[in-house]
Amino acid sequence: MKHLATITLTAGAVLLASAAVAQDKVDGLPKTQIQVAGALSNLTLYQNFEQPFWTKTVPELSNGQVTATIKGFNEMGLKGPEMLRLMSQGVIPVGTSTLAYFASDNPINEAIDLAGLAPTAAIAKQVTDAFQPVYEAFYDKQNIKVLGFSSYPAQVLFCNGAMNGLADLKGKKVRTSSRTQAEFVEAFGGSSVTLPFGEVVPALQNGVVNCAITGSMSGYSAKWYEVSTHLYALPINWNQQIHAANKAFWNKLDPKVQDFLQKNLNVMFEKIWTDAAAETQQGYDCNTGAAECKQAVKGKMTLVQPSEADQALLKKVLSETIVPKWAARCSAQCVTDFNDTVGKIVGVTASK
């Protein structure tokens, strides 16, 4: 997919520009120690970015004055949906979690990742950046300081059986992991099935489900290519991550430390967004056995590119079904904020 390569290069240029500004050593910072609950420790966002940022980058750039310990929230015995509550209470000083985990707490948390909203990483980031001030104000009232957002690779469809377009979802049983994904599948005549990630392989193998949605590279790592035949290259969701701190904890930090951390966190976020686009493509390549795959084992799935007709159909369903259902459960102010930011970017208007 050429557009993903273009996105990666563009984001890389932004990254290099921001890195030159932010990633210099800073002298004279007061001695500071921080405890961080990171994202899922078995995924690359944590392994390649969060963990080295807090354990290597921060100490190095602060000349050893600012140090941190970090564990993935799963290593701490947490499931994810309790993260913001624990940050609000001050139990967790700094943490990361998937924004979609909090959709049931308040539908505002779905606003930037409604199914089908952002067909590219570039649009997903643009939407996220535009809505960030809304989240900052919303979470400030809950004693949470929003530090920024990053993203996992695209969530896409793996199917065991022919899947040549969105119309083929009709009658299919599809494993989904969020309310908006379920509404997406049902809008095209499929039925949504809730299954833990670890149970998807036998479910695909035995026909309990016909398709399942996950990250393109997550599916590869779990060997879904062994039990699926078709990979539909349409990003359904991005699973943006919210990085935040307990507001009281953050406010007690020296302003120079706050500035140091925020500038360098912004650089990390850019790197993660760049990687999300690249890893999405790598997932396509490795599941289908393309020469560009950098992994030793290659799948043999068929990669299906969405047609122009499918893209138009997606826009129609987004406008007529997915966004209206979300707007019905979100507040009037939430809908207004969406229209003033996200809606203008993707060309969709929500109404209450």
Side-chain angles (χ1 to χ4, degrees), residues 312-327:
L313 179 60
L314 175 63
K315 186 68 175 285
K316 184 174 186 290
V317 168
L318 183 70
S319 300
E320 296 179 3
T321 304
I322 294 170
V323 169
K325 282 189 174 182
W326 167 78

Side-chain angles (χ1 to χ4, degrees), residues 36 46-47 49-60 66-71:
V36 183
Y46 177 89
Q47 295 171 353
F49 299 101
E50 275 199 304
Q51 187 179 47
F53 173 81
W54 288 108
T55 60
K56 294 180 181 179
T57 303
V58 166
E60 287 173 4
V66 183
T67 56
T69 59
I70 181 170
K71 283 187 176 182

Side-chain angles (χ1 to χ4, degrees), residues 171-190:
K172 283 188 167 61
K173 294 170 289 185
V174 184
R175 181 263 183 179
T176 61
S177 58
S178 68
R179 177 165 50 188
T180 188
Q181 282 184 7
E183 290 173 350
F184 174 89
V185 168
E186 290 159 6
F188 293 103

